[in-house]
Amino acid sequence: MATRDYVKRGKAPRKKNSRRQPPARKGFPLKWALLAIALVGAFGYGLYLLSQTDTPAPAQPQQPTAPAKPQPKSTLPEKPKEKWSYIEELESKKVEVEAKEIPQSTRPYLMQCGAYRSREQASERKAMIAFQGLESQIKVSQGEKGAWYRVVLGPYPRKRQAERDRNMLRRAGIEPCAIWYWE
């Protein structure tokens, strides 16, 4: 196959510029100028009308028909009489609330924070937990595939206490920890 000489071929014909010319700018926007003048004029007229109106005179206090008791200048006026009676009713009201008793579990809880094949890995996890101020134990379990070293905390008498410690470990980056009944 022969090579082609692209130099002698010349340049490709130029395409026509397809960009549109921006529309020619029209003269001064007379419509918007008239609208602005009308709004400013209406605002000015409104201010003029407000300044020309008389201010209302303050209402004169009504003169009591019966002569009032003269009060000394240094004392406070009498406490006004309450229109509502709920204040006295609420002072003597008693509310009885029945508290639900939290069911107590007879079985304690444990929290497992890892199961490892080697004792070294379990010891590392136990040390991480100890740095958080909690005491854990390593329990060895024999399974079909060999020995497992489980890191457990507990026993906890209530699940809420175990959840508190699990949340503290979670904030320290020690996850996952599962809560079960103590076996």
Side-chain angles (χ1 to χ4, degrees), residues 117-174:
R117 286 288 192 180
S118 68
R119 183 175 280 284
E120 292 80 28
Q121 289 176 323
S123 296
E124 286 177 18
R125 179 55 63 110
K126 181 179 177 181
M128 291 172 65
I129 293 171
F131 281 127
Q132 301 305 316
L134 299 174
E135 186 178 338
S136 61
Q137 306 163 5
I138 298 176
K139 295 200 173 211
V140 182
S141 330
Q142 289 294 332
E144 294 176 6
K145 298 182 181 179
W148 285 91
Y149 299 93
R150 299 185 305 146
V151 181
V152 294
L153 287 84
Y156 294 100
R158 291 192 178 147
K159 189 173 183 180
R160 174 168 252 152
Q161 294 168 339
E163 288 174 348
R164 183 192 67 223
D165 287 349
R166 179 173 59 179
N167 289 334
M168 183 175 66
L169 292 172
R170 184 178 292 155
R171 285 189 298 268
I174 301 172

Side-chain angles (χ1 to χ4, degrees), residues 24-41:
R25 221 164 154 181
K26 294 182 181 178
F28 185 74
L30 186 61
K31 176 174 67 172
W32 294 107
L34 290 175
L35 179 65
I37 291 172
L39 287 175
V40 169

Side-chain angles (χ1 to χ4, degrees), residues 76-94:
L76 295 175
E78 290 183 24
K79 184 177 177 182
K81 186 177 179 183
E82 289 286 335
K83 296 178 186 177
W84 318 106
S85 63
Y86 67 88
I87 295 175
E88 293 85 23
E89 291 175 13
L90 289 178
E91 286 178 355
S92 61
K93 196 76 159 177
K94 291 186 180 180

Side-chain angles (χ1 to χ4, degrees), residues 54-67:
D54 294 334
T55 57
Q60 296 293 331
Q62 295 179 353
Q63 297 294 331
T65 55

